Amino acid sequence: MRALILRRLLISVPLVIAVSWLTFLLQHLAPGDTARAVLGENYTPEGYARLRAQLGLDQSLPVQYWHWLTNALHGDFGVSPINGLDVGAEIGTRLGVTLSLIVVTTVVAAALGIALGSLSAIRGGPLGRIVDVLSLAGFALPSFWLALVLVTIFAVTLRILPATGYTPFAESPGGWTTGLVLPVAALAVHGTAAIAKQTRSGLLDTLSRDFVVTLRANGASERSILFRHALRNAAIPVVTVIGLVFVSLLNGTVLVEAVFAMPGLGGLAVQSATQHDVPAIQAVAVTFTLVVVVVNLLVDLAYGWLDPKVRVR
C-alpha cells in the first residue's frame, strides 16, 4: 500500500506542473491581456508598454512561467494585478466554501444513491423501474436550472431557506447548514442518480453469484448477505463512481455558486478568467488539480481496504 501511495504521488507531480503550464499558456493565448484589463478602455501606448514591463509581460512565456513556478513552489502565488489582493489568502478563504459544498453534496449523493440502489436491487420490480426513471431524470436535469427552481420555490415563494450567501460553520453551524440545503440539493441529483444506478447494477450482479447461493443454502440471513458480503463485493465500482462524482462537482459548483452568490473557487475562476488575472487563475487551477489528486488517492486507499488483492499489486 505504501508503494501504491508513493507511486501515485510521484505521478501527481508532473500532472500538476502540466496543468499549471497549460493553464498559463491558454490564458496568454486568449484575446486581451492583464495590462489591458488593468488599464481599461482608455490608455496610451506608452502607459500600456510601461505596465507590461512592470508586470513582466514583456518577457517570454517560458521565463514568465518559470518565475511563477519558482514562487509557487515556495508557497507564494503572487498578488492579483486586478484587485491587489494576495492570491494565496484569497484561495484559502474561498476553498472552505467550495469544499463544504462539494463534500456535503458527495456525502448526500452517496448515502441516497447507495440506499436507493440497494432497495431497487433487493426489491426489484416497480422500485427498480422507479430508480431507472429517477436516474434518467437526474442525468437530464441541469444543476443550474434546478438551482433556480429551488430558489424560486423555497426562498422566494415559501421563504423558508436563504436564497444566497454562505455562513462559515465556525460562525454559525445552523446558518452553515441552512445555507447549504438548496445548493446541495441542486448538485446532488446527478450524483445520486449515477451512484444509485451503479449500486443497483453491482448488487444485482453480486447477488446472482454462486457464493451468495451457497450462503443462502447455509442459512445466512438476507441482512448478513447484503451488508457483510454483497455490498462489499459490489463496492469498488461504486467507490469509483463516488470519486468521479466528487471530481465532476468541481465543474458543477461554478454555476451553482453563481446562482447562490457563494464566495467559492468557482466564482473566483470565472472572474479571474474574464479579467485575465493570471496569478489567480493559476492558483485556482493548481488547487483544483491537487483536490483531484487527493480524491484519487483516497479512492485508491478505499480499493485497498475493500479488496486486499489491490494492496499487493
Side-chain angles (χ1 to χ4, degrees):
M1 184 60 70
R2 290 181 179 178
L4 174 64
I5 295 174
L6 182 60
R7 186 165 60 250
R8 292 298 186 190
L9 292 177
L10 291 176
I11 294 174
S12 301
V13 174
L15 173 64
V16 173
I17 294 176
V19 169
S20 65
W21 165 247
L22 183 61
T23 304
F24 187 85
L25 182 62
L26 291 176
Q27 277 294 302
H28 283 81
L29 292 177
D33 62 14
T34 306
R36 287 192 177 94
V38 173
L39 293 173
E41 295 293 334
N42 299 318
Y43 61 87
T44 62
E46 294 78 10
Y48 173 69
R50 185 165 52 251
L51 183 57
R52 280 182 56 86
Q54 291 175 358
L55 297 176
L57 299 177
D58 56 340
Q59 299 174 342
S60 65
L61 290 184
V63 172
Q64 292 182 50
Y65 176 75
W66 177 252
H67 289 163
W68 175 87
L69 181 61
T70 53
N71 290 330
L73 291 176
H74 291 87
D76 180 12
F77 288 100
V79 176
S80 169
I82 305 298
N83 53 34
L85 298 177
D86 182 84
V87 174
E90 189 77 359
I91 292 293
T93 302
R94 292 173 176 261
L95 181 60
V97 179
T98 299
L99 285 183
S100 295
L101 183 56
I102 293 177
V103 170
V104 173
T105 300
T106 303
V107 171
V108 170
L112 292 177
I114 292 173
L116 287 174
S118 299
L119 283 174
S120 65
I122 297 170
R123 300 293 176 84
L127 185 57
R129 289 190 287 273
I130 290 174
V131 170
D132 288 337
V133 172
L134 291 177
S135 297
L136 290 174
F139 288 129
L141 293 176
S143 298
F144 70 91
W145 177 85
L146 186 57
L148 293 173
V149 172
L150 292 174
V151 168
T152 302
I153 296 174
F154 293 100
V156 177
T157 304
L158 300 178
R159 298 184 179 181
I160 58 177
L161 290 170
T164 59
Y166 173 82
T167 303
F169 183 84
E171 182 178 320
S172 173
W176 177 83
T177 302
T178 56
L180 287 178
V181 170
L182 293 183
V184 166
L187 287 171
V189 172
H190 183 276
T192 301
I195 295 170
K197 190 75 172 176
Q198 182 59 59
T199 302
R200 179 171 180 261
S201 300
L203 272 180
L204 287 175
D205 177 67
T206 303
L207 291 173
S208 64
R209 294 182 183 178
D210 293 338
F211 79 91
V212 174
V213 177
T214 302
L215 288 171
R216 285 174 176 155
N218 291 332
S221 65
E222 290 296 324
R223 182 184 182 89
S224 174
I225 292 173
L226 176 64
F227 290 102
R228 294 185 58 186
H229 303 281
L231 275 176
R232 188 181 184 96
N233 281 273
I236 285 185
V238 174
V239 169
T240 302
V241 173
I242 292 174
L244 292 174
V245 167
F246 190 103
V247 172
S248 68
L249 289 174
L250 292 172
N251 295 324
T253 55
V254 174
L255 293 176
V256 171
E257 286 178 1
V259 172
F260 292 99
M262 301 180 72
L265 288 179
L268 180 61
V270 174
Q271 176 184 335
S272 303
T274 56
Q275 296 178 338
H276 293 279
D277 191 343
V278 176
I281 194 62
Q282 284 287 105
V284 172
V286 170
T287 302
F288 278 172
T289 305
L290 290 176
V291 170
V292 172
V293 168
V294 172
V295 171
N296 286 335
L297 181 59
L298 292 176
V299 169
D300 288 336
L301 293 176
Y303 286 168
W305 178 71
L306 292 168
D307 186 358
K309 291 183 292 184
V310 175
R311 305 173 193 171
V312 298
R313 291 177 183 173

